[in-house]
Amino acid sequence: MYYAWLENPKNVHKSWDLFFRNATAGSVPGQAFQTQLPDFSGGKTSLIQSHGLTKSLGKAEKLVEDHLAVQSLIRAYQIRGHHVAQLDPLGILDADLDSFIPSDLITTIDKLGFYGLYESDLDKVFQLPTTTFIGGNESMLSLREIIKRLENTYCQHIGLEFMFINDVEQCDWIRQKFEAPGVMKFTSEEKQTLLARLVRSTRFEDFLARKWSSEKRFGLEGCEVMIPALKTIIDKSSEMGIEYVIMGMPHRGRLNVLANVIRKELEQIFCQFDPKLEAADEGSGDVKYHLGMYHERINRATNKNITLSLVANPSHLEAVDPVVQGKTKAEQFYRGDTEGKKVMSILVHGDAAFAGQGVVYETFHLSDLPSYTTNGTIHVVVNNQVCYRRRGHNEMDEPMFTQPLMYKQIQKQVPVLKKYADKLIADGTVTLQEFEEEIADYDKICEEAYARSKDNKILHIKHWLDSPWPGFFTVDGEPKSMTCPPTGISEDMLTHIGNVASSVPLEGFKIHGGLSRILKGRLEMTKNRVVDWALGEYMAFGSLLKEGIHVRLSGQDVERGTFSHRHHVLHDQDVDKRTCVPMNHLWEQQAPYTVCNSSLSEYGVLGFELGFAMASPNALVCWEAQFGDFHNTAQCIIDQFISSGQAKWVRHNGIVLLLPHGMEGMGPEHSSARPERFLQMNNDDSDAFPQFDGDFEVSQLYDCNWIVVNCSTPANYFHVLRRQILLPFRKPLIIFTPKSLLRLPEAKSSFDEMVSGTNFRRVIAEEGPAAENPGEVKRVIFCTGKVYYDLIKERKNQDLEKEVAITRLEQISPFPFDLLKVEMEKYPQADLVWCQEEHKNMGYYDYVKPRFRTIVNHTRPVWYVGREPAAAPATGNKNAHLVSLRRFLDTAFNLEAFEGKMF
């Protein structure tokens, strides 16, 4: 463009004509576009003189080219400076890190030629572009000083890789934080604080190593600086108004964080190393480097209250990430902290896990979704190429087996505490005596805590609880009662909720024609005092909202419902993005209802909802899988947190999993929610017949690790959702929800089954002709879920309603021994049959069979009717599906099918 202008100024736009005229006249590039040039006085003169320029055309051209070259040089350091940063403390860069040196960084003087610059240009003065902050208050620097400042910023011991960020404001923020002169200079007080924190970080590990040299503790040696880093982050956050910090981290350095960041009592940590320590709490407990902690204290740097929570986690690296985010979101939600100004999260990662574990990406993916964002997270990645592990993977490891050269170098390393102390002593910030006194003081604190720790004979895991619920339990952590009130509600409330569910509360809001028909259908059902599945759910949610219980429903396509049955969010057909949630218009004073479509993630989103449910017992938090079998992508959360969380960490959680389930010819991947897996992980004993003392239903629920149900009616679904909140404790609830039953006319419930005084029915016994003459009944079929409707249809077709009784298990686990005992004794002459639509090696049979046998004391057989064992959960062929259905229905009603057979 410049050369075109030289030929004829009219070859370029008039703005560029102005620019080149001004530049030729001697103005600096940053101001050459201005119509009226300011007076540069000495600045312009020094710039021109340093380049040896007159106002000749050729010299002006060189000035422009040199400034463009310097701008490119600055940008090169910003983009690629980290390639030559001194990041490897071991000096074996080629072993693990890329040793590539970019050609456009001035690592030697001859590289100036890359930009058309020479050694003679080093003392020339250049106007700095607006894309750098290395000048501070100076707008011009010599080339020599520019390179020096760029090297100090980008090529020392911090690597900065950020120029890929598309947001200019974010890039400028990073540039300013690192490029501004003097930004890395600390005051004497700051240096002393850093030293004191390093002393605590280092000496804590040294103390553990001396006392328990053969114990695994996943120490922080090699990365002791993480403790002062975390404490500084918390100090700064408190200064900016943060009141609550929720943390997640792996096991490496966890005990140190508990001691020196959260400030857990040292004797509580030390006593965990005592092999004779007895566990007081029921459950398995967990190893010390998995436990969490909750602590409210004064931040010494700001003198403000701050609450710190370190979330308990399993060995599965990064699994805790979405859990922390969910808990953070909940704490923000309950405080009305919509911008994340009061509650924040910190996640600590290992470098390999951060790169390798997909749940990290799934968690990041939630960051901008409205009902999932926490408005930012501090991520601290412990980089084992920048730091190192002095003792390998853990204290029992021998890293020399596989990394001999690296660990020879590590053994030579001077600890960071000594390096920093020597530096501060040399520059007079502290004296050797002051440093030694700091060490002695902390060593004394550790020794005194160690002496006190010997008095602890019993381990109370509840002292390590990461999410206490003040006021919900007694001071001893026990339920305030062991009863559950009736879960039914008044008819007036049912009618009111039904009317709102059938309406559009906003004026001038145009809904889809198909949705109008659905709402009219709801209104008709309300008038007729019946509910289908969607309306029963509406009744449960709406009634809880009136009682001040926040309801949150999350998952893929939950707003509409995967099967287009729910429609909790209405969309205006004429106004883009205008929506209405009628559930939030039920009452003037009600808790908020949150229904939110998640990203296409199970692992991350289920972890998030689990974390959300941790924050408060007064919320019904539901996660719905698009199809039930998709939960296995989140198996880690189910196995490590939901199933075993209370046993390991004494942590109640009332999360609800809604898992669409049913064999309907939809193929292997859209049929089974894998009930067998949930039942296998239930902690009840199949061979122990329980005592029916007190409120057996509630005590049985209290003893279990989770509740598994498969409701066959909307009323029972309504009740089990309400029971989840009305119970005096919290347990995870697994619900196998229907698909075809959503619209099956027979699968509706009357208001009579939901009004005040009614309850969840764990077992729905036969109520027809067979129950009236039990002595004449030849077969009792026990079943659960959708297959009931197939069975009653076939029974009617075969006119066997007097000979065959059908009883439904609505709550499968914990197993309703008391109610089923009554049913089995009611029909003493009948065959006992378990019928399921799932394959024999799946579903419920392996769970219910030994429990049925325990009830009858192994005196009567319990025959199996259902599909044969298989590898895949269902067939993909519709005809094969119907054939197998026909086959097991024939067997179910063939009253001679088991004659002469051995059980």
Side-chain angles (χ1 to χ4, degrees):
M1 195 184 296
Y2 176 67
Y3 292 128
W5 175 80
L6 285 176
E7 289 181 8
N8 185 346
K10 292 183 179 179
N11 285 344
V12 299
H13 188 272
K14 59 184 179 181
S15 61
W16 282 106
D17 180 30
L18 174 66
F19 176 86
F20 291 131
R21 287 181 188 276
N22 289 337
T24 304
S27 63
V28 291
Q31 292 163 325
F33 62 87
Q34 296 179 8
T35 305
Q36 293 182 338
L37 292 174
D39 180 13
F40 289 101
S41 59
K44 182 184 75 174
T45 305
S46 63
L47 180 66
I48 293 173
Q49 288 176 349
S50 75
H51 286 262
L53 301 179
T54 64
K55 294 181 181 178
S56 69
L57 199 61
K59 298 288 187 179
E61 181 184 333
K62 178 73 165 89
L63 173 64
V64 172
E65 289 178 349
D66 286 355
H67 272 82
L68 290 173
V70 169
Q71 189 168 344
S72 297
L73 184 149
I74 292 170
R75 183 171 173 81
Y77 274 88
Q78 292 169 338
I79 295 173
R80 286 178 286 281
H82 63 277
H83 282 286
V84 294
Q86 301 164 46
L87 303 179
D88 179 20
L90 305 180
I92 53 175
L93 190 70
D94 290 349
D96 292 292
L97 293 177
D98 185 358
S99 57
F100 163 69
I101 299 176
S103 58
D104 52 357
L105 301 182
I106 312 303
T107 51
T108 56
I109 290 296
D110 61 294
K111 285 192 172 183
L112 285 169
F114 182 88
Y115 296 98
L117 298 170
Y118 305 95
E119 188 171 0
S120 58
D121 293 321
L122 285 172
D123 294 314
K124 291 179 181 177
V125 176
F126 289 87
Q127 178 76 18
L128 295 172
T130 57
T131 54
T132 187
F133 296 88
I134 58 173
N137 295 325
E138 302 173 87
S139 61
M140 293 180 288
L141 293 174
S142 69
L143 179 58
R144 188 185 305 277
E145 186 64 20
I146 289 171
I147 294 172
K148 177 184 174 184
R149 294 190 185 188
L150 290 171
E151 287 179 343
N152 285 337
T153 299
Y154 294 105
C155 306
Q156 298 304 306
H157 301 295
I158 297 177
L160 287 172
E161 188 173 6
F162 67 99
M163 290 289 284
F164 57 86
I165 298 174
N166 291 327
D167 190 310
V168 174
E169 187 179 352
Q170 291 180 6
C171 282
D172 279 346
W173 188 89
I174 295 172
R175 279 191 280 245
Q176 187 168 19
K177 289 293 179 186
F178 283 91
E179 290 184 351
V183 74
M184 299 300 284
K185 291 180 180 176
F186 297 139
T187 65
S188 293
E189 184 180 355
E190 289 171 333
K191 291 177 182 177
Q192 289 164 4
T193 299
L194 177 53
L195 181 66
R197 289 172 170 178
L198 268 178
V199 165
R200 287 174 171 259
S201 174
T202 304
R203 297 302 289 179
F204 176 81
E205 299 293 351
D206 291 348
F207 184 83
L208 296 182
R210 288 198 307 274
K211 296 293 185 183
W212 299 282
S213 59
S214 60
E215 278 277 332
K216 278 198 298 186
R217 56 187 162 82
F218 294 92
L220 198 56
E221 293 101 327
C223 193
E224 295 90 345
V225 75
M226 186 176 85
I227 298 301
L230 289 174
K231 290 179 75 70
T232 303
I233 290 168
I234 293 169
D235 290 347
K236 190 66 179 176
S237 301
S238 174
E239 180 187 314
M240 298 178 73
I242 290 292
E243 300 169 356
Y244 193 174
V245 176
I246 299 165
M247 298 175 60
M249 68 176 297
H251 19 295
R252 185 185 179 196
R254 190 181 189 89
L255 297 180
N256 208 321
V257 169
L258 284 164
N260 291 312
V261 178
I262 311 290
R263 294 224 291 267
K264 177 75 174 172
E265 300 94 333
L266 290 175
E267 56 266 36
Q268 289 283 330
I269 297 174
F270 295 159
C271 75
Q272 292 259 357
F273 288 91
D274 184 353
K276 298 179 181 177
L277 193 68
E278 296 180 9
D281 308 282
E282 292 185 3
S284 63
D286 204 347
V287 291
K288 49 190 166 288
Y289 40 80
H290 286 173
L291 299 177
M293 177 61 191
Y294 174 95
H295 188 43
E296 299 178 25
R297 63 173 173 84
I298 297 291
N299 180 268
R300 292 171 183 167
T302 61
N303 206 33
K304 293 180 180 179
N305 283 319
I306 192 157
T307 300
L308 302 173
S309 176
L310 178 62
V311 176
N313 63 270
S315 285
H316 296 59
L317 295 171
E318 308 295 341
V320 79
D321 296 357
V323 180
V324 168
Q325 298 298 344
K327 179 172 165 58
T328 303
K329 182 65 176 180
E331 298 292 354
Q332 291 174 349
F333 176 84
Y334 296 128
R335 284 170 169 78
D337 182 18
T338 56
E339 296 182 352
K341 302 291 187 185
K342 297 178 182 177
V343 183
M344 66 171 282
S345 55
I346 299 175
L347 287 177
V348 181
H349 313 269
D351 54 353
F354 188 71
Q357 292 293 330
V359 72
V360 176
Y361 172 76
E362 290 192 36
T363 306
F364 274 124
H365 199 216
L366 299 173
S367 63
D368 278 340
L369 291 179
S371 295
Y372 302 86
T373 181
T374 55
N375 299 283
T377 300
I378 302 289
H379 294 269
V380 179
V381 181
V382 178
N383 188 329
N384 288 306
Q385 269 73 48
V386 176
C387 308
Y388 56 89
R389 297 185 179 197
R390 185 170 287 278
R391 301 178 189 273
H393 177 62
N394 62 57
E395 290 70 28
M396 301 296 97
D397 189 23
E398 176 47 88
M400 291 287 282
F401 286 150
T402 55
Q403 301 287 345
L405 298 181
M406 177 183 287
Y407 273 83
K408 284 177 183 176
Q409 287 297 105
I410 287 174
Q411 289 165 6
K412 298 175 185 175
Q413 284 296 304
V414 177
V416 67
L417 175 60
K418 177 166 173 42
K419 286 182 182 178
Y420 194 59
D422 289 348
K423 184 175 185 296
L424 297 194
I425 292 168
D427 67 20
T429 303
V430 297
T431 65
L432 176 60
Q433 182 180 347
E434 289 170 335
F435 172 57
E436 290 175 342
E437 287 174 356
E438 187 78 44
I439 288 177
D441 288 346
Y442 187 68
D443 285 356
K444 182 182 178 184
I445 290 171
C446 290
E447 287 292 351
E448 290 173 350
Y450 175 65
R452 291 193 300 272
S453 74
K454 294 182 178 180
D455 296 331
N456 290 322
K457 305 299 182 186
I458 298 177
L459 170 64
H460 292 277
I461 298 293
K462 63 188 176 185
H463 294 161
W464 298 74
L465 193 60
D466 55 19
S467 301
W469 292 339
F472 185 71
F473 294 114
T474 66
V475 290
D476 296 324
E478 298 297 324
K480 291 182 177 179
S481 75
M482 282 300 286
T483 60
C484 181
T487 46
I489 60 176
S490 71
E491 178 144 353
D492 287 346
M493 190 182 296
L494 289 168
T495 302
H496 172 73
I497 297 171
N499 288 335
V500 174
S502 311
S503 68
V504 182
L506 298 184
E507 292 290 332
F509 194 100
K510 183 179 178 182
I511 61 172
H512 190 276
L515 190 52
S516 296
R517 291 191 294 275
I518 291 172
L519 297 188
K520 286 177 183 176
R522 286 182 186 171
L523 186 60
E524 192 67 25
M525 282 191 289
T526 303
K527 289 178 181 177
N528 293 331
R529 300 181 67 253
V530 297
V531 298
D532 63 3
W533 215 269
L535 193 52
E537 180 183 76
Y538 220 108
M539 300 294 189
F541 288 178
S543 58
L544 291 172
L545 294 172
K546 189 175 194 306
E547 296 164 19
I549 300 299
H550 170 54
V551 178
R552 177 182 169 93
L553 174 61
S554 165
Q556 297 157 19
D557 208 13
V558 295
E559 296 177 7
R560 184 197 67 169
T562 295
F563 310 104
S564 199
H565 67 289
R566 185 173 285 127
H567 298 288
H568 282 190
V569 179
L570 310 181
H571 293 260
D572 194 308
Q573 298 297 299
D574 294 332
V575 182
D576 187 35
K577 296 182 180 176
R578 186 187 184 206
T579 59
C580 172
V581 181
M583 193 88 75
N584 280 321
H585 296 265
L586 284 166
W587 328 96
E588 285 189 13
Q589 299 292 324
Q590 68 167 76
Y593 174 54
T594 302
V595 55
C596 42
N597 290 339
S598 72
S599 62
L600 204 65
S601 155
E602 287 83 29
Y603 190 169
V605 175
L606 181 56
F608 187 98
E609 301 309 329
L610 177 87
F612 199 103
M614 281 169 52
S616 171
N618 299 316
L620 182 70
V621 180
C622 306
W623 174 76
E624 182 174 70
Q626 195 167 45
F627 284 91
D629 55 316
F630 291 168
H631 76 73
N632 61 13
T633 311
Q635 200 70 49
C636 178
I637 297 296
I638 293 168
D639 291 353
Q640 313 309 131
F641 290 88
I642 300 178
S643 169
S644 56
Q646 184 183 347
K648 293 192 291 188
W649 307 315
V650 198
R651 184 170 74 191
H652 282 236
N653 196 295
I655 190 168
V656 179
L657 274 62
L658 304 176
L659 307 176
H661 171 84
M663 308 295 115
E664 294 168 2
M666 296 290 290
E669 271 74 56
H670 290 104
S671 297
S672 177
R674 297 288 191 175
E676 65 277 3
R677 295 183 178 174
F678 292 96
L679 295 171
Q680 182 196 34
M681 289 189 283
N682 196 281
N683 65 353
D684 65 348
D685 187 346
S686 62
D687 300 321
F689 191 75
Q691 297 294 316
F692 305 143
D693 298 331
D695 191 327
F696 175 69
E697 177 183 353
V698 174
S699 62
Q700 197 184 28
L701 292 172
Y702 182 68
D703 292 337
C704 75
N705 60 316
W706 59 17
I707 304 163
V708 181
V709 303
N710 188 351
C711 300
S712 63
T713 70
N716 237 12
Y717 179 49
F718 159 86
H719 283 297
V720 81
L721 289 173
R722 286 186 49 78
R723 187 184 72 170
Q724 187 70 354
I725 292 297
L726 294 180
L727 284 169
F729 45 82
R730 295 290 175 263
K731 299 285 178 172
L733 172 61
I734 316 301
I735 306 180
F736 302 120
T737 56
K739 296 173 290 184
S740 62
L741 298 194
L742 297 174
R743 293 179 176 83
L744 187 71
E746 293 82 2
K748 290 183 179 178
S749 297
S750 166
F751 279 13
D752 294 337
E753 301 169 61
M754 304 164 71
V755 292
S756 301
T758 57
N759 278 300
F760 174 71
R761 301 173 69 184
R762 292 175 291 147
V763 171
I764 301 180
E766 171 63 57
E767 297 170 344
E772 296 170 7
N773 294 293
E776 297 179 12
V777 171
K778 298 178 180 178
R779 177 167 294 173
V780 181
I781 299 176
F782 296 94
C783 65
T784 186
K786 178 184 76 69
V787 74
Y788 168 75
Y789 293 95
D790 296 320
L791 290 168
I792 59 171
K793 182 179 178 181
E794 184 65 21
R795 180 176 66 175
K796 185 176 182 180
N797 290 341
Q798 296 198 28
D799 194 23
L800 291 172
E801 290 174 312
K802 291 182 180 179
E803 291 87 349
V804 178
I806 301 175
T807 293
R808 287 168 273 174
L809 270 72
E810 302 286 292
Q811 176 180 295
I812 306 150
S813 181
F815 196 68
F817 283 97
D818 53 336
L819 301 180
L820 289 173
K821 184 175 188 294
V822 171
E823 282 301 297
M824 297 173 86
E825 290 176 348
K826 185 176 180 179
Y827 305 99
Q829 307 303 319
D831 288 341
L832 303 179
V833 169
W834 173 259
C835 181
Q836 65 179 37
E837 59 179 356
E838 297 82 4
H839 291 282
K840 188 175 183 179
N841 56 323
M842 302 175 194
Y844 321 90
Y845 181 59
D846 285 339
Y847 177 83
V848 301
K849 176 185 173 181
R851 289 163 176 81
F852 275 126
R853 299 277 285 160
T854 295
I855 292 174
V856 297
N857 198 24
H858 298 268
T859 58
R860 298 168 70 184
V862 180
W863 302 102
Y864 169 79
V865 171
R867 290 184 166 93
E868 296 298 313
T875 178
N877 181 278
K878 186 73 173 180
N879 183 63
H881 164 76
L882 294 173
V883 168
S884 61
L885 173 63
R886 178 74 264 156
R887 185 180 296 126
F888 80 72
L889 287 176
D890 287 344
T891 304
F893 293 99
N894 177 0
L895 302 183
E896 299 174 355
F898 305 110
E899 285 187 5
K901 290 191 176 182
M902 297 292 293
F903 184 74

